[in-house]
Amino acid sequence: MARRRKRKSRRRQEGRRVLELVPQFSIESGEEKPVTAARKFIQDQGIAPPALLLVKRNEHTTDRYFWAEKGLFGAQYVEENHFLFPSLRLLLNDEDARVTLNSR
């Protein structure tokens, strides 16, 4: 039996494109839970929002978190709801302005 391909959400694709513009940090969680490791890394390094943290849990699993002014969020939630985050809205507007200027 043929498998149907899963439909890709345009809103999520747009959110993924916006998150590509944000600085990324890769860390390993070690003995801590991934979200705890992410919070400690943000605190120790003094990372300013917006930022994307890739936390390696083990050799197979990497958790993705988005550091925003409002706190730490799962990256998938942010992809789907990127319009709720003012810093991402600003990045998206800057990117649109650059594209417009380059196309002239």
Side-chain angles (χ1 to χ4, degrees):
M1 190 175 219
R3 283 180 61 117
R4 288 183 49 183
R5 291 179 57 190
K6 190 173 181 180
R7 185 179 163 278
K8 291 187 178 179
S9 164
R10 288 185 189 193
R11 191 165 79 174
R12 185 144 177 225
Q13 284 179 320
E14 169 119 2
R16 191 168 280 245
R17 188 172 61 89
V18 173
L19 283 182
E20 288 175 359
L21 305 172
V22 173
Q24 291 188 11
F25 300 90
S26 295
I27 62 172
E28 293 196 20
S29 64
E31 295 296 315
E32 297 168 333
K33 292 181 179 178
V35 70
T36 305
R39 289 184 185 283
K40 283 186 177 179
F41 183 78
I42 290 166
Q43 183 75 31
D44 293 344
Q45 301 296 317
I47 297 172
L52 190 64
L53 283 96
L54 307 173
V55 184
K56 192 165 180 152
R57 194 186 316 177
N58 57 39
E59 61 182 290
H60 304 293
T61 310
T62 300
D63 294 326
R64 298 167 53 234
Y65 298 101
F66 178 72
W67 176 235
E69 297 82 5
K70 301 175 184 179
L72 196 62
F73 296 87
Q76 185 172 342
Y77 172 80
V78 176
E79 286 174 359
E80 294 169 357
N81 300 290
H82 57 78
F83 48 85
L84 296 175
F85 296 89
S87 58
L88 291 181
R89 230 180 289 139
L90 291 173
L91 278 175
L92 189 58
N93 291 339
D94 288 349
E95 183 66 18
D96 289 343
R98 265 188 245 135
V99 169
T100 307
L101 289 174
N102 290 339
S103 64
R104 289 184 185 170

